[in-house]
Amino acid sequence: MAVDNNVLVFERLREELARGAALRMAIRNAFQRASATIIDCNITHLIAAVVLYAIAPEQIKGFAVTLFLGVSISMFTAVFVARVIFDIAEKHRWITELKMHHLVGHTRSTSWACSPTA
């Protein structure tokens, strides 16, 4: 799940840079736009961990605690720690530009997939 959190942030960062935003603004907007999705997804997992802890037998409660701690730490690092690192690196000019590779080029939707005659 930590990878998913970072993928969300980096995809938003890629979108912001493609729009022509300055690096500092792109970082701020990327984290702001991705934070709601990250928190929403992780809250769902935290609820599942709490429910699992409440109704599960003793052997599974350890897993629920581990899941809760892992999701909490992952969410904290994705939303807060990563942003602080990016902000510090940008302010000290350790990063001046971000180069991101595009494995899949620009995609376009196909209207035939949704067409009732297809």
Side-chain angles (χ1 to χ4, degrees):
M1 289 187 325
V3 171
D4 292 342
N5 294 337
N6 289 321
V7 167
L8 285 169
V9 170
F10 287 123
E11 281 301 314
R12 298 295 178 254
L13 188 55
R14 182 188 317 229
E15 290 172 5
E16 292 294 324
L17 291 172
R19 288 187 186 133
L23 183 60
R24 181 175 293 181
M25 189 60 69
I27 291 170
R28 186 180 70 82
N29 290 343
F31 277 96
Q32 185 177 12
R33 290 180 59 207
S35 292
T37 305
I38 291 170
I39 291 170
D40 181 47
C41 177
N42 287 308
I43 292 295
T44 305
H45 285 92
L46 291 174
I47 291 169
V50 168
V51 170
L52 190 61
Y53 184 83
I55 65 172
E58 288 298 317
Q59 296 87 355
I60 306 299
K61 287 187 178 188
F63 171 73
V65 170
T66 304
L67 177 65
F68 188 89
L69 290 173
V71 169
S72 300
I73 292 168
S74 173
M75 183 171 52
F76 175 73
T77 57
V79 172
F80 181 72
V81 175
R83 182 169 182 169
V84 169
I85 290 171
F86 266 104
D87 285 342
I88 290 171
E90 194 277 328
K91 284 180 184 174
H92 288 318
R93 301 278 186 224
W94 295 335
I95 55 173
T96 56
E97 67 176 329
L98 294 175
K99 296 179 183 177
M100 297 188 180
H101 297 286
H102 295 278
L103 294 178
V104 177
H106 180 68
T107 59
R108 59 184 176 90
S109 65
T110 55
S111 59
W112 61 267
C114 298
S115 170
T117 59

